[in-house]
Amino acid sequence: MNGRAMPKEAFIRQVSIKIRRVLALATAPLINNGRHASPFRVLIVDDHEAFRRFTCSMLGEIAELQIVGEAADGLEAVHKAEELRPDLIVLDMGLPKLNGMEAARRIRKLSPNSKIFIMSQESSVDVVQTALREGAKGYVVKMDAGSELLRAVNAVILGEPFTGVRFSGHDFVK
């Protein structure tokens, strides 16, 4: 590219193609008559409804992703994760009733195949390190979500860790 930002539609199309490829490999045994048994299932957890709407809107544009549920607090997140067994959980850290870190610990026990991706206002390197050690596959600061959310979700689906440009100078060790 020539240094300009990629248009949103082109970027979404590019991410969608990558996700489709990953799903084709991951669900190959589930393919029936050339169609996938189901899209990549996502649970969105955030106590701020406007931010949940934003996240659902961004991820809802990717045909291969299906938003299967939403939760507004940590306890609800744990219950929905156990019930729905989503492939990906986008989880806020600052949640009422049960903070995101403790919710992630419980979710990992109840739904071990769900990939947990943290999206939070917290930008402390120590918090990111702890989240990754506790099993989160990626971390994005909410302020950066507009430019990093789709890339982050794509990376996590591909099994790659993602911590965003803000943390590019840090070497996070699990």
Side-chain angles (χ1 to χ4, degrees), residues 74-113:
L75 286 177
E76 185 181 14
V78 171
H79 295 302
K80 288 206 175 186
E82 182 179 27
E83 172 192 342
L84 300 170
R85 308 278 180 180
D87 300 302
L88 177 68
I89 301 169
V90 179
L91 183 66
D92 186 14
M93 292 289 277
L95 296 169
K97 297 185 183 176
L98 186 66
N99 70 50
M101 196 69 71
E102 183 57 31
R105 285 183 192 111
R106 293 183 188 187
I107 288 169
R108 283 187 43 239
K109 291 177 183 172
L110 297 170
S111 185
N113 293 326

PDB file of all heavy atoms in Angstrom, residues 74-113:
ATOM      1  N   GLY A  74     -19.680 -10.097  35.014  1.00  0.00           N
ATOM      2  CA  GLY A  74     -18.829 -11.277  35.041  1.00  0.00           C
ATOM      3  C   GLY A  74     -19.556 -12.575  35.333  1.00  0.00           C
ATOM      4  O   GLY A  74     -19.273 -13.609  34.724  1.00  0.00           O
ATOM      5  N   LEU A  75     -20.511 -12.556  36.257  1.00  0.00           N
ATOM      6  CA  LEU A  75     -21.257 -13.776  36.562  1.00  0.00           C
ATOM      7  C   LEU A  75     -22.097 -14.227  35.375  1.00  0.00           C
ATOM      8  O   LEU A  75     -22.149 -15.420  35.056  1.00  0.00           O
ATOM      9  CB  LEU A  75     -22.148 -13.568  37.792  1.00  0.00           C
ATOM     10  CG  LEU A  75     -21.430 -13.518  39.129  1.00  0.00           C
ATOM     11  CD1 LEU A  75     -22.404 -13.222  40.264  1.00  0.00           C
ATOM     12  CD2 LEU A  75     -20.694 -14.830  39.397  1.00  0.00           C
ATOM     13  N   GLU A  76     -22.750 -13.273  34.732  1.00  0.00           N
ATOM     14  CA  GLU A  76     -23.537 -13.600  33.542  1.00  0.00           C
ATOM     15  C   GLU A  76     -22.626 -14.162  32.448  1.00  0.00           C
ATOM     16  O   GLU A  76     -23.000 -15.102  31.731  1.00  0.00           O
ATOM     17  CB  GLU A  76     -24.264 -12.342  33.046  1.00  0.00           C
ATOM     18  CG  GLU A  76     -25.198 -12.587  31.888  1.00  0.00           C
ATOM     19  CD  GLU A  76     -25.890 -11.316  31.401  1.00  0.00           C
ATOM     20  OE1 GLU A  76     -25.479 -10.184  31.763  1.00  0.00           O
ATOM     21  OE2 GLU A  76     -26.845 -11.461  30.616  1.00  0.00           O
ATOM     22  N   ALA A  77     -21.432 -13.632  32.322  1.00  0.00           N
ATOM     23  CA  ALA A  77     -20.466 -14.124  31.328  1.00  0.00           C
ATOM     24  C   ALA A  77     -20.120 -15.583  31.587  1.00  0.00           C
ATOM     25  O   ALA A  77     -20.084 -16.400  30.658  1.00  0.00           O
ATOM     26  CB  ALA A  77     -19.202 -13.273  31.350  1.00  0.00           C
ATOM     27  N   VAL A  78     -19.872 -15.927  32.840  1.00  0.00           N
ATOM     28  CA  VAL A  78     -19.535 -17.300  33.199  1.00  0.00           C
ATOM     29  C   VAL A  78     -20.694 -18.232  32.853  1.00  0.00           C
ATOM     30  O   VAL A  78     -20.500 -19.288  32.240  1.00  0.00           O
ATOM     31  CB  VAL A  78     -19.151 -17.404  34.699  1.00  0.00           C
ATOM     32  CG1 VAL A  78     -19.012 -18.855  35.132  1.00  0.00           C
ATOM     33  CG2 VAL A  78     -17.872 -16.628  34.976  1.00  0.00           C
ATOM     34  N   HIS A  79     -21.902 -17.843  33.212  1.00  0.00           N
ATOM     35  CA  HIS A  79     -23.077 -18.684  32.941  1.00  0.00           C
ATOM     36  C   HIS A  79     -23.316 -18.855  31.441  1.00  0.00           C
ATOM     37  O   HIS A  79     -23.578 -19.959  30.968  1.00  0.00           O
ATOM     38  CB  HIS A  79     -24.321 -18.107  33.615  1.00  0.00           C
ATOM     39  CG  HIS A  79     -24.253 -18.117  35.109  1.00  0.00           C
ATOM     40  ND1 HIS A  79     -24.065 -19.261  35.853  1.00  0.00           N
ATOM     41  CD2 HIS A  79     -24.317 -17.110  36.004  1.00  0.00           C
ATOM     42  CE1 HIS A  79     -24.024 -18.960  37.138  1.00  0.00           C
ATOM     43  NE2 HIS A  79     -24.175 -17.655  37.256  1.00  0.00           N
ATOM     44  N   LYS A  80     -23.196 -17.754  30.692  1.00  0.00           N
ATOM     45  CA  LYS A  80     -23.420 -17.843  29.247  1.00  0.00           C
ATOM     46  C   LYS A  80     -22.319 -18.634  28.556  1.00  0.00           C
ATOM     47  O   LYS A  80     -22.576 -19.363  27.602  1.00  0.00           O
ATOM     48  CB  LYS A  80     -23.569 -16.455  28.637  1.00  0.00           C
ATOM     49  CG  LYS A  80     -24.892 -15.818  29.007  1.00  0.00           C
ATOM     50  CD  LYS A  80     -25.345 -14.810  28.007  1.00  0.00           C
ATOM     51  CE  LYS A  80     -26.732 -14.345  28.412  1.00  0.00           C
ATOM     52  NZ  LYS A  80     -27.318 -13.473  27.437  1.00  0.00           N
ATOM     53  N   ALA A  81     -21.092 -18.500  29.025  1.00  0.00           N
ATOM     54  CA  ALA A  81     -19.992 -19.268  28.441  1.00  0.00           C
ATOM     55  C   ALA A  81     -20.217 -20.763  28.658  1.00  0.00           C
ATOM     56  O   ALA A  81     -20.014 -21.570  27.748  1.00  0.00           O
ATOM     57  CB  ALA A  81     -18.658 -18.843  29.046  1.00  0.00           C
ATOM     58  N   GLU A  82     -20.663 -21.125  29.851  1.00  0.00           N
ATOM     59  CA  GLU A  82     -20.931 -22.538  30.131  1.00  0.00           C
ATOM     60  C   GLU A  82     -22.098 -23.050  29.285  1.00  0.00           C
ATOM     61  O   GLU A  82     -22.045 -24.146  28.730  1.00  0.00           O
ATOM     62  CB  GLU A  82     -21.240 -22.734  31.613  1.00  0.00           C
ATOM     63  CG  GLU A  82     -21.492 -24.180  31.981  1.00  0.00           C
ATOM     64  CD  GLU A  82     -21.764 -24.372  33.465  1.00  0.00           C
ATOM     65  OE1 GLU A  82     -22.253 -23.431  34.134  1.00  0.00           O
ATOM     66  OE2 GLU A  82     -21.483 -25.482  33.944  1.00  0.00           O
ATOM     67  N   GLU A  83     -23.134 -22.239  29.157  1.00  0.00           N
ATOM     68  CA  GLU A  83     -24.325 -22.639  28.400  1.00  0.00           C
ATOM     69  C   GLU A  83     -24.074 -22.684  26.892  1.00  0.00           C
ATOM     70  O   GLU A  83     -24.448 -23.637  26.212  1.00  0.00           O
ATOM     71  CB  GLU A  83     -25.461 -21.648  28.693  1.00  0.00           C
ATOM     72  CG  GLU A  83     -26.690 -21.812  27.834  1.00  0.00           C
ATOM     73  CD  GLU A  83     -27.644 -20.632  27.969  1.00  0.00           C
ATOM     74  OE1 GLU A  83     -27.540 -19.859  28.947  1.00  0.00           O
ATOM     75  OE2 GLU A  83     -28.488 -20.486  27.074  1.00  0.00           O
ATOM     76  N   LEU A  84     -23.426 -21.636  26.357  1.00  0.00           N
ATOM     77  CA  LEU A  84     -23.287 -21.490  24.906  1.00  0.00           C
ATOM     78  C   LEU A  84     -22.030 -22.135  24.327  1.00  0.00           C
ATOM     79  O   LEU A  84     -21.975 -22.413  23.132  1.00  0.00           O
ATOM     80  CB  LEU A  84     -23.313 -20.004  24.542  1.00  0.00           C
ATOM     81  CG  LEU A  84     -24.585 -19.239  24.931  1.00  0.00           C
ATOM     82  CD1 LEU A  84     -24.387 -17.740  24.735  1.00  0.00           C
ATOM     83  CD2 LEU A  84     -25.776 -19.750  24.133  1.00  0.00           C
ATOM     84  N   ARG A  85     -20.985 -22.293  25.147  1.00  0.00           N
ATOM     85  CA  ARG A  85     -19.702 -22.833  24.682  1.00  0.00           C
ATOM     86  C   ARG A  85     -19.233 -22.138  23.393  1.00  0.00           C
ATOM     87  O   ARG A  85     -18.995 -22.783  22.376  1.00  0.00           O
ATOM     88  CB  ARG A  85     -19.789 -24.338  24.445  1.00  0.00           C
ATOM     89  CG  ARG A  85     -20.329 -25.136  25.578  1.00  0.00           C
ATOM     90  CD  ARG A  85     -19.301 -25.422  26.603  1.00  0.00           C
ATOM     91  NE  ARG A  85     -19.951 -26.214  27.666  1.00  0.00           N
ATOM     92  CZ  ARG A  85     -19.331 -26.634  28.712  1.00  0.00           C
ATOM     93  NH1 ARG A  85     -18.067 -26.371  28.873  1.00  0.00           N
ATOM     94  NH2 ARG A  85     -19.964 -27.309  29.630  1.00  0.00           N
ATOM     95  N   PRO A  86     -19.090 -20.804  23.444  1.00  0.00           N
ATOM     96  CA  PRO A  86     -18.675 -20.080  22.227  1.00  0.00           C
ATOM     97  C   PRO A  86     -17.232 -20.392  21.857  1.00  0.00           C
ATOM     98  O   PRO A  86     -16.438 -20.821  22.694  1.00  0.00           O
ATOM     99  CB  PRO A  86     -18.831 -18.607  22.633  1.00  0.00           C
ATOM    100  CG  PRO A  86     -18.626 -18.617  24.117  1.00  0.00           C
ATOM    101  CD  PRO A  86     -19.224 -19.918  24.594  1.00  0.00           C
ATOM    102  N   ASP A  87     -16.916 -20.158  20.596  1.00  0.00           N
ATOM    103  CA  ASP A  87     -15.543 -20.350  20.126  1.00  0.00           C
ATOM    104  C   ASP A  87     -14.652 -19.215  20.619  1.00  0.00           C
ATOM    105  O   ASP A  87     -13.470 -19.412  20.880  1.00  0.00           O
ATOM    106  CB  ASP A  87     -15.509 -20.380  18.597  1.00  0.00           C
ATOM    107  CG  ASP A  87     -16.364 -21.504  18.048  1.00  0.00           C
ATOM    108  OD1 ASP A  87     -16.111 -22.669  18.398  1.00  0.00           O
ATOM    109  OD2 ASP A  87     -17.301 -21.211  17.281  1.00  0.00           O
ATOM    110  N   LEU A  88     -15.226 -18.017  20.719  1.00  0.00           N
ATOM    111  CA  LEU A  88     -14.482 -16.818  21.121  1.00  0.00           C
ATOM    112  C   LEU A  88     -15.311 -16.011  22.103  1.00  0.00           C
ATOM    113  O   LEU A  88     -16.516 -15.836  21.906  1.00  0.00           O
ATOM    114  CB  LEU A  88     -14.170 -15.953  19.889  1.00  0.00           C
ATOM    115  CG  LEU A  88     -13.466 -14.627  20.146  1.00  0.00           C
ATOM    116  CD1 LEU A  88     -12.033 -14.856  20.632  1.00  0.00           C
ATOM    117  CD2 LEU A  88     -13.460 -13.776  18.883  1.00  0.00           C
ATOM    118  N   ILE A  89     -14.643 -15.506  23.142  1.00  0.00           N
ATOM    119  CA  ILE A  89     -15.298 -14.619  24.108  1.00  0.00           C
ATOM    120  C   ILE A  89     -14.512 -13.321  24.139  1.00  0.00           C
ATOM    121  O   ILE A  89     -13.319 -13.318  24.428  1.00  0.00           O
ATOM    122  CB  ILE A  89     -15.339 -15.244  25.518  1.00  0.00           C
ATOM    123  CG1 ILE A  89     -16.102 -16.570  25.473  1.00  0.00           C
ATOM    124  CG2 ILE A  89     -15.962 -14.272  26.514  1.00  0.00           C
ATOM    125  CD1 ILE A  89     -15.995 -17.394  26.734  1.00  0.00           C
ATOM    126  N   VAL A  90     -15.184 -12.217  23.803  1.00  0.00           N
ATOM    127  CA  VAL A  90     -14.592 -10.882  23.892  1.00  0.00           C
ATOM    128  C   VAL A  90     -15.005 -10.359  25.254  1.00  0.00           C
ATOM    129  O   VAL A  90     -16.189 -10.115  25.506  1.00  0.00           O
ATOM    130  CB  VAL A  90     -15.079  -9.961  22.756  1.00  0.00           C
ATOM    131  CG1 VAL A  90     -14.452  -8.581  22.895  1.00  0.00           C
ATOM    132  CG2 VAL A  90     -14.758 -10.573  21.397  1.00  0.00           C
ATOM    133  N   LEU A  91     -14.042 -10.190  26.157  1.00  0.00           N
ATOM    134  CA  LEU A  91     -14.312  -9.965  27.572  1.00  0.00           C
ATOM    135  C   LEU A  91     -13.691  -8.674  28.078  1.00  0.00           C
ATOM    136  O   LEU A  91     -12.490  -8.449  27.901  1.00  0.00           O
ATOM    137  CB  LEU A  91     -13.740 -11.166  28.353  1.00  0.00           C
ATOM    138  CG  LEU A  91     -13.919 -11.248  29.850  1.00  0.00           C
ATOM    139  CD1 LEU A  91     -15.398 -11.415  30.212  1.00  0.00           C
ATOM    140  CD2 LEU A  91     -13.112 -12.421  30.399  1.00  0.00           C
ATOM    141  N   ASP A  92     -14.495  -7.852  28.738  1.00  0.00           N
ATOM    142  CA  ASP A  92     -14.021  -6.637  29.393  1.00  0.00           C
ATOM    143  C   ASP A  92     -13.403  -7.025  30.736  1.00  0.00           C
ATOM    144  O   ASP A  92     -13.733  -8.070  31.307  1.00  0.00           O
ATOM    145  CB  ASP A  92     -15.199  -5.679  29.602  1.00  0.00           C
ATOM    146  CG  ASP A  92     -14.800  -4.333  30.146  1.00  0.00           C
ATOM    147  OD1 ASP A  92     -13.599  -3.989  30.145  1.00  0.00           O
ATOM    148  OD2 ASP A  92     -15.704  -3.587  30.580  1.00  0.00           O
ATOM    149  N   MET A  93     -12.491  -6.218  31.241  1.00  0.00           N
ATOM    150  CA  MET A  93     -11.870  -6.491  32.537  1.00  0.00           C
ATOM    151  C   MET A  93     -12.676  -5.896  33.692  1.00  0.00           C
ATOM    152  O   MET A  93     -12.850  -6.531  34.719  1.00  0.00           O
ATOM    153  CB  MET A  93     -10.452  -5.910  32.586  1.00  0.00           C
ATOM    154  CG  MET A  93      -9.481  -6.617  31.668  1.00  0.00           C
ATOM    155  SD  MET A  93      -9.083  -8.238  32.234  1.00  0.00           S
ATOM    156  CE  MET A  93      -7.828  -7.849  33.405  1.00  0.00           C
ATOM    157  N   GLY A  94     -13.153  -4.659  33.528  1.00  0.00           N
ATOM    158  CA  GLY A  94     -13.836  -3.955  34.606  1.00  0.00           C
ATOM    159  C   GLY A  94     -15.322  -4.251  34.609  1.00  0.00           C
ATOM    160  O   GLY A  94     -16.126  -3.416  34.207  1.00  0.00           O
ATOM    161  N   LEU A  95     -15.685  -5.425  35.074  1.00  0.00           N
ATOM    162  CA  LEU A  95     -17.085  -5.842  35.082  1.00  0.00           C
ATOM    163  C   LEU A  95     -17.653  -5.840  36.492  1.00  0.00           C
ATOM    164  O   LEU A  95     -16.930  -6.136  37.447  1.00  0.00           O
ATOM    165  CB  LEU A  95     -17.213  -7.264  34.513  1.00  0.00           C
ATOM    166  CG  LEU A  95     -16.821  -7.458  33.064  1.00  0.00           C
ATOM    167  CD1 LEU A  95     -16.743  -8.945  32.726  1.00  0.00           C
ATOM    168  CD2 LEU A  95     -17.830  -6.758  32.159  1.00  0.00           C
ATOM    169  N   PRO A  96     -18.954  -5.554  36.632  1.00  0.00           N
ATOM    170  CA  PRO A  96     -19.582  -5.679  37.946  1.00  0.00           C
ATOM    171  C   PRO A  96     -19.801  -7.154  38.310  1.00  0.00           C
ATOM    172  O   PRO A  96     -19.738  -8.028  37.442  1.00  0.00           O
ATOM    173  CB  PRO A  96     -20.916  -4.950  37.774  1.00  0.00           C
ATOM    174  CG  PRO A  96     -21.177  -4.905  36.318  1.00  0.00           C
ATOM    175  CD  PRO A  96     -19.851  -4.996  35.627  1.00  0.00           C
ATOM    176  N   LYS A  97     -20.047  -7.406  39.556  1.00  0.00           N
ATOM    177  CA  LYS A  97     -20.348  -8.716  40.146  1.00  0.00           C
ATOM    178  C   LYS A  97     -19.154  -9.666  40.164  1.00  0.00           C
ATOM    179  O   LYS A  97     -18.980 -10.401  41.123  1.00  0.00           O
ATOM    180  CB  LYS A  97     -21.550  -9.379  39.480  1.00  0.00           C
ATOM    181  CG  LYS A  97     -22.829  -8.608  39.665  1.00  0.00           C
ATOM    182  CD  LYS A  97     -24.012  -9.354  39.112  1.00  0.00           C
ATOM    183  CE  LYS A  97     -25.272  -8.510  39.265  1.00  0.00           C
ATOM    184  NZ  LYS A  97     -26.425  -9.171  38.658  1.00  0.00           N
ATOM    185  N   LEU A  98     -18.362  -9.677  39.112  1.00  0.00           N
ATOM    186  CA  LEU A  98     -17.182 -10.540  39.040  1.00  0.00           C
ATOM    187  C   LEU A  98     -16.265  -9.918  37.994  1.00  0.00           C
ATOM    188  O   LEU A  98     -16.663  -9.759  36.841  1.00  0.00           O
ATOM    189  CB  LEU A  98     -17.604 -11.950  38.607  1.00  0.00           C
ATOM    190  CG  LEU A  98     -16.551 -13.037  38.607  1.00  0.00           C
ATOM    191  CD1 LEU A  98     -16.076 -13.342  40.036  1.00  0.00           C
ATOM    192  CD2 LEU A  98     -17.130 -14.308  37.984  1.00  0.00           C
ATOM    193  N   ASN A  99     -15.051  -9.526  38.381  1.00  0.00           N
ATOM    194  CA  ASN A  99     -14.177  -8.844  37.425  1.00  0.00           C
ATOM    195  C   ASN A  99     -13.778  -9.775  36.276  1.00  0.00           C
ATOM    196  O   ASN A  99     -13.901 -10.993  36.366  1.00  0.00           O
ATOM    197  CB  ASN A  99     -12.953  -8.227  38.117  1.00  0.00           C
ATOM    198  CG  ASN A  99     -11.964  -9.260  38.617  1.00  0.00           C
ATOM    199  OD1 ASN A  99     -11.559 -10.158  37.889  1.00  0.00           O
ATOM    200  ND2 ASN A  99     -11.561  -9.116  39.869  1.00  0.00           N
ATOM    201  N   GLY A 100     -13.314  -9.195  35.208  1.00  0.00           N
ATOM    202  CA  GLY A 100     -12.992  -9.947  34.009  1.00  0.00           C
ATOM    203  C   GLY A 100     -11.933 -11.009  34.209  1.00  0.00           C
ATOM    204  O   GLY A 100     -12.002 -12.093  33.624  1.00  0.00           O
ATOM    205  N   MET A 101     -10.942 -10.744  35.046  1.00  0.00           N
ATOM    206  CA  MET A 101      -9.877 -11.716  35.279  1.00  0.00           C
ATOM    207  C   MET A 101     -10.423 -12.966  35.959  1.00  0.00           C
ATOM    208  O   MET A 101     -10.119 -14.092  35.558  1.00  0.00           O
ATOM    209  CB  MET A 101      -8.763 -11.089  36.131  1.00  0.00           C
ATOM    210  CG  MET A 101      -7.483 -11.866  36.091  1.00  0.00           C
ATOM    211  SD  MET A 101      -6.654 -11.804  34.483  1.00  0.00           S
ATOM    212  CE  MET A 101      -6.101 -10.116  34.476  1.00  0.00           C
ATOM    213  N   GLU A 102     -11.244 -12.760  36.986  1.00  0.00           N
ATOM    214  CA  GLU A 102     -11.826 -13.913  37.679  1.00  0.00           C
ATOM    215  C   GLU A 102     -12.837 -14.624  36.784  1.00  0.00           C
ATOM    216  O   GLU A 102     -12.914 -15.860  36.783  1.00  0.00           O
ATOM    217  CB  GLU A 102     -12.484 -13.484  38.996  1.00  0.00           C
ATOM    218  CG  GLU A 102     -13.042 -14.646  39.806  1.00  0.00           C
ATOM    219  CD  GLU A 102     -12.016 -15.717  40.164  1.00  0.00           C
ATOM    220  OE1 GLU A 102     -10.819 -15.411  40.342  1.00  0.00           O
ATOM    221  OE2 GLU A 102     -12.428 -16.899  40.273  1.00  0.00           O
ATOM    222  N   ALA A 103     -13.592 -13.872  36.003  1.00  0.00           N
ATOM    223  CA  ALA A 103     -14.531 -14.486  35.052  1.00  0.00           C
ATOM    224  C   ALA A 103     -13.763 -15.354  34.059  1.00  0.00           C
ATOM    225  O   ALA A 103     -14.170 -16.481  33.762  1.00  0.00           O
ATOM    226  CB  ALA A 103     -15.333 -13.409  34.324  1.00  0.00           C
ATOM    227  N   ALA A 104     -12.637 -14.861  33.563  1.00  0.00           N
ATOM    228  CA  ALA A 104     -11.819 -15.627  32.610  1.00  0.00           C
ATOM    229  C   ALA A 104     -11.318 -16.924  33.246  1.00  0.00           C
ATOM    230  O   ALA A 104     -11.337 -17.979  32.601  1.00  0.00           O
ATOM    231  CB  ALA A 104     -10.640 -14.784  32.128  1.00  0.00           C
ATOM    232  N   ARG A 105     -10.884 -16.857  34.492  1.00  0.00           N
ATOM    233  CA  ARG A 105     -10.415 -18.074  35.182  1.00  0.00           C
ATOM    234  C   ARG A 105     -11.524 -19.123  35.252  1.00  0.00           C
ATOM    235  O   ARG A 105     -11.304 -20.300  34.972  1.00  0.00           O
ATOM    236  CB  ARG A 105      -9.946 -17.738  36.601  1.00  0.00           C
ATOM    237  CG  ARG A 105      -8.621 -17.047  36.657  1.00  0.00           C
ATOM    238  CD  ARG A 105      -8.182 -16.819  38.112  1.00  0.00           C
ATOM    239  NE  ARG A 105      -7.061 -15.922  38.140  1.00  0.00           N
ATOM    240  CZ  ARG A 105      -7.085 -14.678  38.608  1.00  0.00           C
ATOM    241  NH1 ARG A 105      -8.189 -14.172  39.140  1.00  0.00           N
ATOM    242  NH2 ARG A 105      -6.009 -13.929  38.574  1.00  0.00           N
ATOM    243  N   ARG A 106     -12.710 -18.679  35.627  1.00  0.00           N
ATOM    244  CA  ARG A 106     -13.838 -19.614  35.750  1.00  0.00           C
ATOM    245  C   ARG A 106     -14.272 -20.141  34.381  1.00  0.00           C
ATOM    246  O   ARG A 106     -14.589 -21.325  34.241  1.00  0.00           O
ATOM    247  CB  ARG A 106     -15.013 -18.931  36.443  1.00  0.00           C
ATOM    248  CG  ARG A 106     -14.731 -18.610  37.892  1.00  0.00           C
ATOM    249  CD  ARG A 106     -15.927 -18.012  38.575  1.00  0.00           C
ATOM    250  NE  ARG A 106     -15.610 -17.538  39.906  1.00  0.00           N
ATOM    251  CZ  ARG A 106     -16.506 -17.084  40.766  1.00  0.00           C
ATOM    252  NH1 ARG A 106     -17.784 -17.029  40.428  1.00  0.00           N
ATOM    253  NH2 ARG A 106     -16.145 -16.673  41.957  1.00  0.00           N
ATOM    254  N   ILE A 107     -14.288 -19.271  33.396  1.00  0.00           N
ATOM    255  CA  ILE A 107     -14.695 -19.677  32.046  1.00  0.00           C
ATOM    256  C   ILE A 107     -13.734 -20.730  31.503  1.00  0.00           C
ATOM    257  O   ILE A 107     -14.164 -21.702  30.872  1.00  0.00           O
ATOM    258  CB  ILE A 107     -14.778 -18.452  31.111  1.00  0.00           C
ATOM    259  CG1 ILE A 107     -15.990 -17.595  31.478  1.00  0.00           C
ATOM    260  CG2 ILE A 107     -14.837 -18.878  29.646  1.00  0.00           C
ATOM    261  CD1 ILE A 107     -16.020 -16.228  30.808  1.00  0.00           C
ATOM    262  N   ARG A 108     -12.452 -20.556  31.736  1.00  0.00           N
ATOM    263  CA  ARG A 108     -11.466 -21.527  31.228  1.00  0.00           C
ATOM    264  C   ARG A 108     -11.729 -22.924  31.777  1.00  0.00           C
ATOM    265  O   ARG A 108     -11.501 -23.918  31.094  1.00  0.00           O
ATOM    266  CB  ARG A 108     -10.051 -21.072  31.571  1.00  0.00           C
ATOM    267  CG  ARG A 108      -9.597 -19.947  30.651  1.00  0.00           C
ATOM    268  CD  ARG A 108      -8.148 -19.537  30.807  1.00  0.00           C
ATOM    269  NE  ARG A 108      -7.234 -20.648  30.934  1.00  0.00           N
ATOM    270  CZ  ARG A 108      -6.435 -20.834  31.986  1.00  0.00           C
ATOM    271  NH1 ARG A 108      -6.437 -19.994  32.978  1.00  0.00           N
ATOM    272  NH2 ARG A 108      -5.619 -21.852  32.024  1.00  0.00           N
ATOM    273  N   LYS A 109     -12.251 -23.002  33.003  1.00  0.00           N
ATOM    274  CA  LYS A 109     -12.570 -24.306  33.595  1.00  0.00           C
ATOM    275  C   LYS A 109     -13.862 -24.882  33.019  1.00  0.00           C
ATOM    276  O   LYS A 109     -13.970 -26.084  32.798  1.00  0.00           O
ATOM    277  CB  LYS A 109     -12.687 -24.190  35.110  1.00  0.00           C
ATOM    278  CG  LYS A 109     -11.366 -23.921  35.791  1.00  0.00           C
ATOM    279  CD  LYS A 109     -11.536 -23.750  37.273  1.00  0.00           C
ATOM    280  CE  LYS A 109     -10.193 -23.398  37.916  1.00  0.00           C
ATOM    281  NZ  LYS A 109     -10.323 -23.050  39.309  1.00  0.00           N
ATOM    282  N   LEU A 110     -14.854 -24.015  32.784  1.00  0.00           N
ATOM    283  CA  LEU A 110     -16.173 -24.470  32.333  1.00  0.00           C
ATOM    284  C   LEU A 110     -16.285 -24.640  30.827  1.00  0.00           C
ATOM    285  O   LEU A 110     -17.095 -25.422  30.344  1.00  0.00           O
ATOM    286  CB  LEU A 110     -17.245 -23.474  32.806  1.00  0.00           C
ATOM    287  CG  LEU A 110     -17.393 -23.336  34.313  1.00  0.00           C
ATOM    288  CD1 LEU A 110     -18.294 -22.155  34.656  1.00  0.00           C
ATOM    289  CD2 LEU A 110     -17.951 -24.631  34.896  1.00  0.00           C
ATOM    290  N   SER A 111     -15.512 -23.882  30.088  1.00  0.00           N
ATOM    291  CA  SER A 111     -15.556 -23.930  28.619  1.00  0.00           C
ATOM    292  C   SER A 111     -14.126 -23.829  28.092  1.00  0.00           C
ATOM    293  O   SER A 111     -13.728 -22.827  27.501  1.00  0.00           O
ATOM    294  CB  SER A 111     -16.421 -22.772  28.085  1.00  0.00           C
ATOM    295  OG  SER A 111     -16.565 -22.864  26.694  1.00  0.00           O
ATOM    296  N   PRO A 112     -13.325 -24.875  28.309  1.00  0.00           N
ATOM    297  CA  PRO A 112     -11.896 -24.810  28.013  1.00  0.00           C
ATOM    298  C   PRO A 112     -11.547 -24.589  26.539  1.00  0.00           C
ATOM    299  O   PRO A 112     -10.449 -24.133  26.245  1.00  0.00           O
ATOM    300  CB  PRO A 112     -11.359 -26.158  28.516  1.00  0.00           C
ATOM    301  CG  PRO A 112     -12.545 -27.052  28.577  1.00  0.00           C
ATOM    302  CD  PRO A 112     -13.727 -26.180  28.840  1.00  0.00           C
ATOM    303  N   ASN A 113     -12.446 -24.879  25.640  1.00  0.00           N
ATOM    304  CA  ASN A 113     -12.157 -24.678  24.218  1.00  0.00           C
ATOM    305  C   ASN A 113     -12.458 -23.267  23.729  1.00  0.00           C
ATOM    306  O   ASN A 113     -12.131 -22.928  22.594  1.00  0.00           O
ATOM    307  CB  ASN A 113     -12.917 -25.701  23.366  1.00  0.00           C
ATOM    308  CG  ASN A 113     -12.409 -27.105  23.617  1.00  0.00           C
ATOM    309  OD1 ASN A 113     -11.226 -27.316  23.858  1.00  0.00           O
ATOM    310  ND2 ASN A 113     -13.308 -28.063  23.587  1.00  0.00           N
TER     311      ASN A 113
END
